[in-house]
Amino acid sequence: MLRSWLVAALVTMAFGAVAQTPPPAPAPRPKFESFEVATVKPVEPDANRGRLFKMDGPHRWLATDYRLKNLIALAYDMNPKTISGGPAWMDEQHFNIEAITPGEIRPTRLEQMQMLRTLLVERFELKFHRAEKEFSIYELTIAKGGSKLKPAAHPDDPPYIVGVVYPGKIEVPAKSVTMDDFVAMLQRATLDRPTVNKTGLTGVYDFTLDWAQDETQYGGEVPKAPEDAPLPPLFTAVQEQLGLKLQATRGLVNAMVVDSAVKPQVD
């Protein structure tokens, strides 16, 4: 009896000692205010190479075949039509960027954009001011039959959304995104005018959107889908696949006026 009591006491003490051991402190997350190193090179436009940005591994960030206006639109989640002013080359000269991100953690898209904004100010000496202007816009609303969006499987994961160009179609895989994330992607690259989220949806969602692109999308830089493409056009796909609706209208948008910019020096 005494032996059994002693063993139970020792087990209890052992578990208590383990429970009282504090967990290791997580590594501090970098602030991601700027890239550690970045190279900016002017390049000739190449339709086969295509315009894209991505993390190439956990620390290497790439942007390929971007004009300065498109870099600004990417960094600030804006439609290029809402960016005015600046030198003529801002809409003509193409650039490639290769950069290394700080720390040991892969930055989220928002953190990548913060570092890109710093690069634009430092390397292009970008100066601008904001102004509210009226534009032809699209409003994203819920379609008559209701939303078809499904809640995200991992809502706490960083949002992931990207447009992938295939022969004859565009595919947008989206994980853990809000409707603001979706609208930001549509207006900064896909559509030919600013886009505003009017869905009222506040959740986080997973979805895949597929459509047959036309010449008004991606600045006309992707080939138009063939007439017999098996997928619907974008506006139909948004309604059929997501239960949402893109509607053309006019409205006030927070625009950007570029006061000055300088071509970066090439090493």
Side-chain angles (χ1 to χ4, degrees), residues 159-191:
Y160 174 84
I161 184 168
V162 63
V164 184
V165 180
Y166 293 101
K169 75 166 186 175
I170 303 290
E171 180 178 284
V172 173
K175 300 289 185 183
S176 304
V177 302
T178 65
M179 287 299 94
D180 285 341
D181 295 325
F182 181 42
V183 160
M185 187 219 73
L186 288 175
Q187 75 162 1
R188 72 174 176 259
T190 310
L191 293 172

Side-chain angles (χ1 to χ4, degrees), residues 3-263:
R3 183 179 178 184
S4 299
W5 175 87
L6 182 58
V7 170
L10 289 173
V11 169
T12 302
M13 290 172 62
F15 275 104
V18 171
Q20 292 172 9
T21 303
R29 190 172 186 86
K31 292 184 178 180
F32 293 113
E33 294 176 350
S34 61
F35 295 115
E36 281 194 351
V37 180
T39 301
V40 182
K41 293 182 179 180
V43 294
E44 292 298 319
D46 184 348
N48 293 322
R49 180 174 54 214
R51 189 177 75 219
L52 63 89
F53 79 95
K54 66 177 182 177
M55 288 294 301
D56 184 21
H59 307 300
R60 187 166 178 254
W61 189 86
L62 303 176
T64 303
D65 214 20
Y66 271 85
R67 292 169 291 186
L68 178 55
K69 181 176 283 190
N70 296 113
L71 285 170
I72 295 171
L74 174 64
Y76 292 92
D77 277 339
M78 302 181 70
N79 184 273
K81 286 191 175 181
T82 64
I83 303 168
S84 61
W89 62 263
M90 190 175 81
D91 215 6
E92 299 167 354
Q93 177 65 62
H94 292 233
F95 298 92
N96 285 354
I97 300 174
E98 295 187 16
I100 302 298
T101 62
E104 299 300 322
I105 302 172
R106 182 188 180 106
T108 65
R109 190 192 72 82
L110 292 178
E111 290 166 338
Q112 295 168 39
M113 296 306 102
Q114 175 56 57
M115 292 184 286
L116 178 57
R117 291 194 287 269
T118 300
L119 182 143
L120 294 178
V121 171
E122 292 180 349
R123 300 293 289 275
F124 288 88
E125 300 180 38
L126 177 66
K127 296 180 180 178
F128 63 88
H129 66 275
R130 299 282 194 167
E132 199 171 52
K133 297 183 178 181
E134 185 177 11
F135 290 92
S136 295
I137 66 172
Y138 293 119
E139 288 184 346
L140 183 70
T141 61
I142 298 177
K144 187 176 181 180
S147 167
K148 299 179 181 179
L149 295 167
K150 304 298 183 184
H154 304 283
D156 294 329
D157 285 356
Y160 174 84
I161 184 168
V162 63
V164 184
V165 180
Y166 293 101
K169 75 166 186 175
I170 303 290
E171 180 178 284
V172 173
K175 300 289 185 183
S176 304
V177 302
T178 65
M179 287 299 94
D180 285 341
D181 295 325
F182 181 42
V183 160
M185 187 219 73
L186 288 175
Q187 75 162 1
R188 72 174 176 259
T190 310
L191 293 172
D192 60 345
R193 61 178 73 178
T195 309
V196 179
N197 177 19
K198 295 287 188 178
T199 63
L201 298 173
T202 58
V204 181
Y205 307 98
D206 293 341
F207 60 85
T208 299
L209 178 66
D210 301 287
W211 77 91
Q213 74 274 19
D214 63 40
E215 64 278 4
T216 69
Q217 297 159 17
Y218 290 93
E221 296 178 4
V222 295
K224 181 181 178 180
E227 296 296 333
D228 59 349
L231 290 169
L234 174 59
F235 284 45
T236 304
V238 167
Q239 186 159 344
E240 291 179 349
Q241 299 172 27
L242 306 182
L244 305 177
K245 183 178 180 181
L246 283 164
Q247 184 170 346
T249 184
R250 291 189 65 83
L252 291 174
V253 173
N254 188 14
M256 177 187 289
V257 180
V258 175
D259 300 312
S260 63
V262 176
K263 285 185 181 180

